[in-house]
């Protein structure tokens, strides 16, 4: 009902990113670009809403392919709310894409300390698996995928990460 709601745009972008990550749409599907557009627009409208900024940031990074720009948005969210476990989680995930494994793992560890019972803990574990993978620590990455799959057995990205580790 409100196409200029920053929060709605961020959530809509995140839903489209989730469809991509789970493999429910093929690469290049128009909804992925639409999700990236929504994430960018959400960030423009966000003002000082840290939740919108980290959501927009991860969508810009992973759906839009602008990892550096996405991290800048997530960093803004962390300046506003340095104790956001979600912002730290997705900061870790995005930084793993840049090969910043040590920073990624530090952010993920802090996120887990702040929110150890998070319903989406599997995202923290998967991000740690990816950070270890990009550092060529494949056995450690496999341990993180095990932890991910104990939390969410049907999480497709964890299975892909396992296959990559074995490869």
């Amino acid at each position: 009902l409100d196409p200029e709601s920053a929060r709605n745009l961020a959530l809509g972008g995140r839903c489209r990113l989730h469809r991509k990550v789970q493999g429910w749409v093929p690469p290049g599907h128009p909804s992925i670009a639409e999700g990236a557009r929504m994430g960018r627009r959400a960030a423009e409208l966000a003002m000082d809403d840290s939740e919108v900024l980290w959501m927009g940031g991860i969508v810009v990074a992973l759906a839009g392919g602008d990892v550096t720009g996405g991290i800048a948005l997530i960093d803004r969210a962390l300046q506003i709310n340095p104790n956001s476990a979600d912002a730290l989680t997705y900061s870790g995930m995005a930084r793993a894409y840049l090969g910043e494994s040590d920073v990624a793992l530090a952010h993920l560890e802090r996120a887990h300390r702040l929110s150890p019972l998070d319903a989406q803990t599997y995202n923290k574990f998967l991000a740690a698996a990816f950070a270890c993978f990009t550092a060529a620590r494949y056995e450690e990455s496999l341990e993180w995928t095990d932890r991910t799959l104990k939390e969410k057995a049907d999480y497709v990205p964890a299975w892909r990460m396992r296959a990559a580790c074995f490869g």
Side-chain angles (χ1 to χ4, degrees):
L1 296 175
D2 183 1
E4 292 297 296
S5 165
R7 187 159 295 241
N8 292 348
L9 286 164
L11 288 167
R14 195 165 170 220
C15 287
R16 284 158 180 80
L17 173 61
H18 187 71
R19 293 176 66 203
K20 174 190 177 205
V21 167
Q22 282 289 89
W24 296 336
V25 296
H29 191 273
S31 69
I32 298 168
E34 174 64 6
R37 183 202 66 78
M38 293 170 87
R40 282 190 293 278
R41 183 66 181 143
E44 289 170 6
L45 298 169
M47 306 292 282
D48 288 335
D49 187 332
S50 67
E51 294 294 302
V52 169
L53 287 168
W54 74 255
M55 280 190 270
I58 197 61
V59 172
V60 166
L62 302 188
D66 180 6
V67 179
T68 303
I71 287 173
L73 294 172
I74 297 168
D75 284 348
R76 233 175 90 201
L78 286 168
Q79 287 174 344
I80 295 164
N81 182 2
N83 292 320
S84 170
D86 289 324
L88 287 161
T89 296
Y90 291 102
S91 173
M93 186 173 289
R95 281 179 161 78
Y97 273 81
L98 292 182
E100 298 176 6
S101 298
D102 291 337
V103 175
L105 290 167
H107 283 208
L108 293 163
E109 181 183 334
R110 184 152 187 263
H112 193 61
R113 277 195 325 254
L114 288 167
S115 186
L117 302 176
D118 188 339
Q120 294 187 20
T121 293
Y122 60 90
N123 278 324
K124 292 178 206 144
F125 294 165
L126 180 68
F130 189 67
C132 290
F133 182 86
T134 60
R137 293 164 30 194
Y138 306 118
E139 289 186 22
E140 193 175 347
S141 182
L142 283 170
E143 291 171 14
W144 283 110
T145 62
D146 285 343
R147 291 179 73 181
T148 303
L149 292 167
K150 284 180 184 163
E151 294 285 323
K152 188 167 176 65
D154 64 344
Y155 198 42
V156 173
W159 289 106
R160 284 195 301 259
M161 180 59 56
R162 284 186 72 73
C165 287
F166 286 121

